[in-house]
């Protein structure tokens, strides 16, 4: 998915379905592509509970989660800027891969 955090305090949310025990990798590419976005990535279950969160990886302000989901069901990915910034300089590429 290619998107953008278009303004301060903008939150982009994406929904996906998973099987019990399924391993998924969710990754944001922004800073590595020259974006000003300092991504903050959070995964929630259908009840609204936080399953996992990622701010920075390695030497980048990009985010990445590699997790195994305990239960089958609907999950939500929340993506925002860690400093509540946004605008034309805040594009991103989000990927979700099942392993």
């Amino acid at each position: 998915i290619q998107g953008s955090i278009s303004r301060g305090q903008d939150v982009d949310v994406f929904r996906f379905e998973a099987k019990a025990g399924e391993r998924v990798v969710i990754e944001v590419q922004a800073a590595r592509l020259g974006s000003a976005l300092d991504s903050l990535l959070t995964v929630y279950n259908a009840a609204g509970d936080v399953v996992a969160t990622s701010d920075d990886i390695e030497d980048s302000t990009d985010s990445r989660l590699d997790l195994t989901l305990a239960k089958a069901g609907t999950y939500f990915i929340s993506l925002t800027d860690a400093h509540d910034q946004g605008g034309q300089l805040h594009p991103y590429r989000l990927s979700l891969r099942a392993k």
Side-chain angles (χ1 to χ4, degrees):
I1 297 170
Q2 292 191 41
S4 178
I5 298 300
S6 59
R7 64 188 181 290
Q9 299 182 346
D10 186 16
V11 179
D12 288 359
V13 179
F14 305 93
R15 176 181 154 176
F16 69 99
E17 301 292 324
K19 299 174 186 171
E22 187 169 18
R23 182 176 169 206
V24 297
V25 177
I26 306 164
E27 185 169 9
V28 176
Q29 291 182 352
R32 291 174 283 172
L33 302 174
S35 174
L37 178 65
D38 181 356
S39 62
L40 179 59
L41 186 62
T42 306
V43 174
Y44 298 90
N45 63 20
D49 301 320
V50 173
V51 174
T53 188
S54 173
D55 190 357
D56 299 337
I57 57 169
E58 301 162 4
D59 292 332
S60 174
T61 57
D62 289 344
S63 305
R64 182 177 191 269
L65 289 169
D66 184 340
L67 57 126
T68 301
L69 300 166
K71 297 181 181 180
T74 302
Y75 291 86
F76 298 91
I77 300 168
S78 168
L79 174 59
T80 190
D81 183 84
H83 305 285
D84 288 331
Q85 301 296 307
Q88 293 178 334
L89 301 176
H90 291 75
Y92 64 83
R93 215 177 275 157
L94 174 69
S95 64
L96 167 65
R97 297 182 307 274
K99 289 269 185 167

